Amino acid sequence: MNYFTLDQISEVNTLNEGEEKPARYAVIGKPVSHSLSPQLHQGALDSLDQEARYIRVEVERGQVAEAFEKLYAAGIKGINVTVPHKLEAVEACHQVDPAAASMGAVNTIVFDAQGQRSGFNTDGPGFARAIREEFGVDLKDLKIIIIGAGGGAGRAIATQCVLENCPQIILANRTLEKIDSMMGELQQLSNSETLEGPRDRISTISLSDPALEEAIAASELIINTTSVGLKSGDPSPFPSHWVEPYHLVYDSIYHPSRTRLLREAEGQGARIANGLSLLIHQGALSLEYWLNREVPIEAMRQGVLDAIKD
Ligand code: ATR
């Protein structure tokens, strides 16, 4: 097995037996065996001369707070949280960063000297950094449409777009009910005193609505956060001949590196990017929280590329 269970965590000896470096960072999830977080972080930790190992831990629903306590007691200094625990992790923190609270999801845990847990979400800010790296523009300046806004990644990105004051945010989803309540919450966030800009800049649309073509035409950045494209033979999540050369197209999927959407969007003359940069920047931001210093992005990118090469 390439992961530990919660019971094994109670045995510090089991955790570090035969290992050169002690376990200091962990990702929790279920399933967790496919998580690339160790490959993402270990090279960076090594290149920073950290005496630290990054491990995977499988945790059942309802046991997230207990897992945090056991991991802290076992000497773990920072935790990443993945599916399906990002929501439960919000409740299992002593403090939650306001942006993470708005996203309704925590993916990074920082312990203070007393073991108190602070929760952050690096998916949204990591996405903003990814867009700057890939396209050389700021997220805040772009008219956005999110295809699949009802999923976890879609929600984090949509919240980031509101926090960045993007001039247009269209939430598109197959199931409209899933984004209706989110739209209300995002509008409230957008109406808060700290944010300026047009009040009606957030809207929703069903993926089957004929007006989707117009909504895409009115956008500058098209983001796919559906899982459509993960499997070979998957279609594009919307008719990709609607893509125009002025579009930037970002697919949160990074494996395969080119989904059908990205291939066809490129054929239409648009600029494209896959989700590898999001994976890397959300991880880099977690590591920055833990180490309080700049981290080697290229070591992280290489770690993931080595892990996914066919
Ligand atoms: P999470 O990211 O929270 O695990 P998910 O259930 O994997 O979420 O779904 C991610 C997104 O992919 C959702 O927006 C989902 O649409 P629904 O809310 O309508 O379920 C979208 N999605 C998954 N399969 C899809 C498909 N075949 N066509 C369109 N959208 C799809």
Side-chain angles (χ1 to χ4, degrees):
M1 270 193 311
N2 66 0
Y3 60 87
F4 292 93
T5 63
L6 208 46
D7 288 341
Q8 292 170 321
I9 294 302
S10 311
E11 301 286 329
V12 182
N13 290 341
T14 315
L15 204 55
N16 293 321
E17 207 172 275
E19 296 288 347
E20 244 175 66
K21 296 182 175 181
R24 289 285 180 255
Y25 301 97
V27 56
I28 67 161
K30 170 114 198 231
V32 77
S33 61
H34 65 284
S35 168
L36 290 178
S37 291
Q39 290 97 325
L40 181 63
H41 288 278
Q42 193 64 55
L45 289 167
D46 293 344
S47 74
L48 293 171
D49 287 328
Q50 299 286 310
E51 274 302 301
R53 210 166 93 249
Y54 190 109
I55 61 167
R56 300 181 185 90
V57 182
E58 189 179 84
V59 172
E60 303 293 329
R61 279 183 200 268
Q63 295 190 330
V64 171
E66 183 189 341
F68 289 162
E69 272 156 33
K70 285 189 170 167
L71 286 165
Y72 179 73
I76 295 292
K77 297 190 179 308
I79 301 173
N80 282 132
V81 181
T82 189
V83 180
H85 298 320
K86 292 185 187 187
L87 191 72
E88 194 181 332
V90 176
E91 302 303 319
C93 286
H94 299 97
Q95 294 101 32
V96 176
D97 174 67
S102 302
M103 289 169 197
V106 153
N107 77 337
T108 302
I109 303 293
V110 179
F111 292 107
D112 71 10
Q114 283 72 45
Q116 297 268 301
R117 305 181 282 274
S118 295
F120 299 89
N121 190 312
T122 65
D123 289 328
F127 180 71
R129 283 196 188 184
I131 291 303
R132 173 131 274 289
E133 177 194 295
E134 299 281 10
F135 300 124
V137 290
D138 286 329
L139 186 59
K140 69 176 173 53
D141 295 327
L142 295 171
K143 292 182 181 165
I144 314 278
I145 184 163
I146 303 171
I147 310 289
R155 186 187 170 113
I157 288 171
T159 308
Q160 187 68 26
C161 293
V162 172
L163 294 173
E164 301 251 345
N165 246 339
C166 294
Q168 169 206 289
I169 304 161
I170 302 176
L171 312 172
N173 210 45
R174 179 179 55 181
T175 320
L176 259 191
E177 299 82 71
K178 282 209 204 162
I179 47 173
D180 278 346
S181 58
M182 187 174 131
M183 154 110 165
E185 288 165 36
L186 291 181
Q187 261 167 343
Q188 231 176 343
L189 181 65
S190 139
N191 285 340
S192 64
E193 284 169 17
T194 50
L195 294 174
E196 294 169 0
R199 297 297 181 228
D200 58 353
R201 65 208 160 108
I202 310 172
S203 58
T204 60
I205 189 165
S206 159
L207 287 187
S208 56
D209 190 324
L212 184 66
E213 180 174 3
E214 212 178 299
I216 285 177
S219 305
E220 291 158 326
L221 175 61
I222 305 170
I223 308 158
N224 175 44
T225 50
T226 75
S227 44
V228 181
L230 272 176
K231 293 196 285 286
S232 68
D234 269 359
S236 172
F238 64 90
S240 42
H241 62 266
W242 292 347
V243 174
E244 301 277 352
Y246 62 83
H247 280 128
L248 308 174
V249 183
Y250 192 94
D251 200 325
S252 64
I253 296 169
Y254 57 86
H255 194 47
S257 62
R258 276 171 181 239
T259 56
R260 181 156 176 182
L261 167 63
L262 289 189
R263 289 196 310 272
E264 293 181 351
E266 191 173 43
Q268 293 288 109
R271 293 171 67 196
I272 60 164
N274 74 22
L276 185 64
S277 45
L278 168 57
L279 176 71
I280 289 162
H281 284 290
Q282 62 77 31
L285 281 163
S286 293
L287 206 51
E288 284 178 23
Y289 273 122
W290 299 329
L291 303 180
N292 213 5
R293 60 181 289 184
E294 229 180 288
V295 301
I297 299 284
E298 287 318 311
M300 302 186 89
R301 195 187 315 273
Q302 200 51 53
V304 175
L305 286 174
D306 288 346
I308 61 178
K309 69 171 181 272
D310 298 316

